[in-house]
Amino acid sequence: MKAEVATANVIDSVWAEIQFSANAWASEEPSLASYLHATILKHNSLLSALSYHIASKLDCTALPALAIRELAEEALADQVDCIRLDLAAVHGRDPACDSKATAFLYFKGFLALQSYRVAHYLWVNNRHPMALFFQSQISHRLGVDIHPAAEIGMGVMFDHATGIVIGETAVIEDMVSILHSVTLGGTGKESDDRHPKIRYGVLVGAGAKVLGNIEVGACAQIAAGSVVLQDVEPRTVVAGVPATVRGESTCIEPAQTMDHSFYSA
């Protein structure tokens, strides 16, 4: 019981921080006050605001916003700690993000990831048609295509996010950072386990393609524009087409520092 109370207090403090920022923005820009009220200030919790935000972005004639919001609240009800870690990842790693409220409202990588979490919940609960509908809407509205069966951990950041493609059997562990135009894809028409496994703390640079059922070890780095076709050892840096080992990471967790430098091999 004490642990549950402590978690609730932390969640409340994060939500209070987001509301504080929204109140300040509403004072600075009165023309945005109604938008900020609808998206943040009228809500009593992070979950309520996020479900509204997801619904407003994915709304369509086939599935109206109210139905999307109900599904999002159901799916994310026990994932608030995960949502908080994803917010902290964006705020802590992206120098362009000045607050958690900024990440929440304006960084589509965060929103695409939370929308995927709804689709994944539907998939694992055998609601495959609805999960695939969410995947299609996320791709159409946000430019991020993640199969709902893919497994993604906590504290993950999609930086810019446009053009990210993640296949059905891909796995992304906790505290990973992935930049725009990254593909975690297969190499053929096989139907079994065919997509990459990205382990803890990995940093994947913009435009990288990681193909096949291969493993990228913990805290490894993949340079921008690389094509990775073989396993990558932990804490190593790979670059090129096809990618080869170029050295070792200069930091313990490159995904958190976003440091693309390395020790030359």
Side-chain angles (χ1 to χ4, degrees):
M1 180 63 71
K2 289 183 179 180
E4 292 176 358
V5 171
T7 301
N9 289 337
V10 173
I11 292 169
D12 288 344
S13 69
V14 170
W15 181 235
E17 180 183 342
I18 291 173
Q19 287 201 309
F20 180 85
S21 296
N23 267 311
W25 294 341
S27 297
E28 294 170 13
E29 294 286 353
S31 59
L32 286 178
S34 60
Y35 168 70
L36 294 166
H37 179 77
T39 54
I40 292 178
L41 296 175
K42 77 173 184 179
H43 300 280
N44 60 9
S45 70
L46 178 59
L47 177 60
S48 173
L50 180 58
S51 64
Y52 175 90
H53 199 32
I54 290 172
S56 67
K57 291 295 184 181
L58 304 185
D59 178 32
C60 64
T61 54
L63 193 66
L66 181 59
I68 294 173
R69 186 175 183 185
E70 289 175 350
L71 286 170
E73 288 193 345
E74 175 187 340
L76 299 175
D78 62 350
Q79 297 193 54
V80 178
D81 283 344
C82 181
I83 295 164
R84 291 176 56 253
L85 285 172
D86 293 340
L87 271 174
V90 179
H91 183 215
R93 300 176 205 172
D94 191 337
C97 183
D98 59 2
S99 70
K100 292 184 177 69
T102 299
F104 180 88
L105 284 180
Y106 303 127
F107 281 60
K108 76 172 184 178
F110 169 77
L111 185 62
L113 180 56
Q114 308 320 310
S115 299
Y116 146 81
R117 296 196 188 284
V118 179
H120 182 69
Y121 170 88
L122 294 166
W123 185 270
V124 299
N125 283 280
N126 294 314
R127 300 182 65 180
H128 291 185
M130 185 63 77
L132 293 170
F133 180 86
F134 264 77
Q135 177 191 5
S136 177
Q137 281 298 100
I138 296 164
S139 179
H140 175 63
R141 294 294 183 87
L142 300 173
V144 178
D145 194 350
I146 311 172
H147 194 284
E151 299 178 17
I152 302 179
M154 301 183 294
V156 171
M157 182 181 73
F158 294 158
D159 192 6
H160 296 287
T162 300
I164 289 177
V165 177
I166 299 173
E168 179 182 13
T169 60
V171 174
I172 301 172
E173 293 187 348
D174 297 345
M175 302 301 174
V176 168
S177 292
I178 296 178
L179 281 76
H180 55 282
S181 299
V182 165
T183 297
L184 305 182
T187 57
K189 296 175 66 176
E190 68 273 17
S191 59
D192 56 357
D193 194 352
R194 62 195 184 278
H195 295 106
K197 311 300 180 276
I198 309 298
R199 301 306 181 192
Y200 179 95
V202 169
L203 173 60
V204 185
K209 315 303 176 189
V210 188
L211 306 177
N213 184 16
I214 61 176
E215 181 164 327
V216 179
C219 299
Q221 297 173 226
I222 299 173
S226 299
V227 177
V228 183
L229 302 174
Q230 298 180 352
D231 290 346
V232 178
E233 292 295 319
R235 293 208 63 205
T236 58
V237 178
V238 297
V241 182
T244 57
V245 176
R246 303 299 177 92
E248 297 180 357
S249 173
T250 58
C251 55
I252 295 175
E253 295 187 20
Q256 296 201 48
T257 64
M258 301 294 287
D259 184 356
H260 292 262
S261 60
F262 60 92
Y263 295 114
S264 180

